[in-house]
Structures are given as C-alpha cells and as structure tokens.
C-alpha cells in the first residue's frame, strides 16, 4: 500500500484549522510542506508554510514532510527544524558540489531528522546514486517545482522505475516519493513505477470529500 503526503500549499487560509483536522481525519500519512523562497522558484511561500507548521505543531501529531525549494538551504533547514519535522528534503540542484550536499545531510541528521533528496524533471537519476546510502528518501519531481495544479510529466516516471530497479539490485532500503500532478489516474502509474509515497495537493484540497479521495489514492 502507498502512503499519502498531502501538500497543503494550496489550502486557502479561511477555516484552515478545520481543514487540517479534516485532512488528518481522512487518514493522510504526512503533511507535505512546500517551502519556496522566491529564488529557487518564483513563488514565495515561506511565511504561509511557517504559519501552517505552527498550526500543525499545535493540533496534529502527524509527521511533517518538509520539501525545501530554496537556494540558501541551510537557512531554511534551520527555520523549519524548529517545527520538528519527520523529514526534510532538499534539492540536489541547489548545491554546487557533492561535499556541500553531504554537509547538509549530516547537519539535518545531527538534528535528529530524516533526510530526503529531490530532483527536478530534467535532472538524471544517476546523479544521486552515490548519495543514496546517506539518505532516507528520494523525492522525484513529476512536474517542474514552483506551483500546484500542474500535469504529471510522464517521462519522470521512467526515473522512478530506474531508481526502483537500482535500489532493489543494491539492496538499499529507501522511500521513493513522487510529487506533482498526482490524481487517481497518475497515482496508479506512479505506484506501478515503484513509488511508495505519493504527494497529492490539489487532487485532495480541491475535493469535496477528503476522506473519499484519500481512500481512493491509498487503495490503488
Ligand atoms: C510543486 C510542489 C508540489 C505541489 C503538489 O512545486 O512541490 O508539492 O504543490 O501539488 P499538486 O498535487 O497539485 O501537483
Ligand atoms: Zn512538494
């Protein structure tokens, strides 16, 4: 069975506490927090995501899955560590070399938090093979990072397949999360390719009935 990480990026602010309760009651597995700095991608969601993390710390025990789409990674790692996330995912493309990336991985782990690495649609999967042994999760972007509500790019699922084959062959225990354009239809393809955690934003937040859509996505 796949797990569902609900992206709350597009959750409107009115009545948001009730919506967060409803998402938890709908049995999502994680709250996915999309942090955008206005540099790595155009949008800036820092204040909104901080506010939502504060709410979550007060009202929910579900794990927080932070996805940092930022250039100054360390600054935002520090800003979001305070919310005690279960995992922080950073983008490979934000680093100029592997040593810097390894430093951040070490830093996040020293702060008792799991680590994920994300790659954009144009980044080759082979680029992260050498760091898999240091991390807990790979987040494969199935759309260009920057906003919710886009369509999944089918070729990105070939990377999920390749990664899945590689980790099986090398006997590496790691989660494969996909992010962007996940709905009832694409979820089936993503699972078939080997993803075990699906991020879903607008498919859930735009639905009339959170319970129904989450159930549908989980049982595929
Ligand atoms: C995109 C974000 C995603 C996105 C998911 O940059 O990382 O988490 O908001 O939203 P949907 O499911 O609507 O594509
Ligand atoms: Zn995301």
């Amino acid at each position: 069975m796949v797990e569902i990480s609900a992206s709350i990026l597009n959750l409107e602010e009115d009545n948001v506490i009730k919506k967060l309760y409803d998402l938890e009651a709908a049995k999502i597995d994680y709250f996915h927090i999309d942090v955008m700095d206005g540099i790595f991608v155009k949008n800036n969601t820092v204040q909104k995501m901080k506010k939502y993390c504060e709410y979550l710390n007060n009202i929910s025990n579900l794990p927080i899955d932070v996805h940092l789409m930022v250039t100054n990674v360390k600054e935002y790692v520090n800003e979001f560590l305070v919310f005690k996330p279960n995992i922080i995912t950073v983008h490979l493309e934000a680093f100029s070399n592997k040593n810097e990336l390894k430093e951040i991985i070490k830093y996040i782990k020293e702060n008792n938090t799991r680590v994920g690495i994300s790659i954009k649609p144009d980044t080759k999967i082979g680029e992260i093979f050498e760091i898999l042994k240091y991390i807990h999760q790979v987040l494969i972007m199935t759309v260009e990072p920057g906003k919710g509500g886009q369509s999944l790019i089918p070729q990105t699922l070939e990377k999920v397949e390749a990664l899945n084959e590689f980790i099986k062959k090398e006997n590496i225990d790691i989660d494969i999360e996909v992010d962007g354009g996940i709905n009832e239809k694409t979820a089936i393809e993503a699972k078939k390719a080997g993803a075990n955690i699906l991020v879903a934003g607008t498919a859930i937040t735009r639905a009339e009935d959170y319970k129904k859509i989450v159930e549908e996505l989980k049982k595929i």
Side-chain angles (χ1 to χ4, degrees):
M1 193 144 118
V2 292
E3 290 189 307
I4 303 299
S5 190
S7 164
I8 55 175
L9 177 68
N10 283 351
L11 211 56
E12 305 284 343
E13 307 222 17
D14 62 294
N15 235 345
V16 67
I17 302 283
K18 159 97 171 69
K19 290 174 195 161
L20 296 175
Y21 269 126
D22 289 347
L23 283 170
E24 183 157 352
K27 297 204 163 55
I28 59 165
D29 298 285
Y30 301 85
F31 280 104
H32 184 84
I33 302 295
D34 286 306
V35 182
M36 304 180 186
D37 65 352
I39 303 169
F40 188 81
V41 291
K42 255 200 224 134
N43 282 328
N44 190 319
T45 63
V46 176
Q47 293 317 320
K48 183 177 180 184
M49 290 301 112
K50 277 190 180 170
K51 201 198 282 177
Y52 284 12
C53 281
E54 249 172 62
Y55 295 154
L56 289 173
N57 276 179
N58 289 329
I59 65 161
S60 173
N61 287 320
L62 279 186
I64 294 178
D65 164 29
V66 172
H67 176 195
L68 293 182
M69 286 160 275
V70 302
T71 298
N72 189 346
V73 180
K74 182 122 184 215
E75 176 187 341
Y76 291 99
V77 164
N78 284 327
E79 290 197 27
F80 282 81
L81 271 174
V82 297
F83 302 112
K84 302 251 174 287
N86 175 274
I87 183 158
I88 296 183
T89 294
V90 300
H91 264 270
L92 177 75
E93 299 86 1
F95 296 89
S96 47
N97 64 64
K98 291 259 159 63
N99 281 339
E100 264 178 38
L101 173 62
K102 284 182 187 163
E103 280 297 309
I104 280 286
I105 294 172
K106 192 163 157 264
Y107 181 73
I108 296 172
K109 291 202 277 192
E110 278 167 1
N111 281 279
N112 304 316
T113 306
R114 301 191 310 131
V115 186
I117 303 293
S118 183
I119 53 169
K120 298 206 276 187
D122 286 342
T123 303
K124 294 204 167 52
I125 191 68
E127 293 199 25
I128 57 163
F129 284 172
E130 64 169 292
I131 43 175
L132 294 178
K133 56 176 180 282
Y134 305 112
I135 61 172
H136 304 89
Q137 175 171 295
V138 176
L139 192 171
I140 297 193
M141 288 305 299
T142 39
V143 298
E144 283 300 333
K147 56 176 193 270
Q150 307 179 72
S151 302
L152 179 140
I153 302 166
Q155 292 81 354
T156 57
L157 293 181
E158 291 167 15
K159 295 196 285 188
V160 177
E161 268 171 36
L163 174 63
N164 195 32
E165 262 171 43
F166 183 82
I167 63 171
K168 277 193 181 139
K169 195 175 84 207
E170 300 290 320
N171 214 0
I172 298 171
D173 184 18
I174 202 165
D175 288 319
I176 304 180
E177 184 173 53
V178 287
D179 184 6
I182 296 295
N183 54 38
E184 300 94 312
K185 188 172 160 280
T186 54
I188 298 172
E189 291 152 23
K191 185 187 176 187
K192 207 159 85 194
N196 67 311
I197 305 178
L198 311 179
V199 175
T202 49
I204 298 177
T205 57
R206 280 187 198 153
E208 292 274 304
D209 184 344
Y210 292 163
K211 264 198 183 124
K212 193 164 156 251
I213 178 75
V214 172
E215 208 174 87
E216 267 168 25
L217 290 172
K218 280 179 104 164
K219 74 168 184 235
I220 54 119

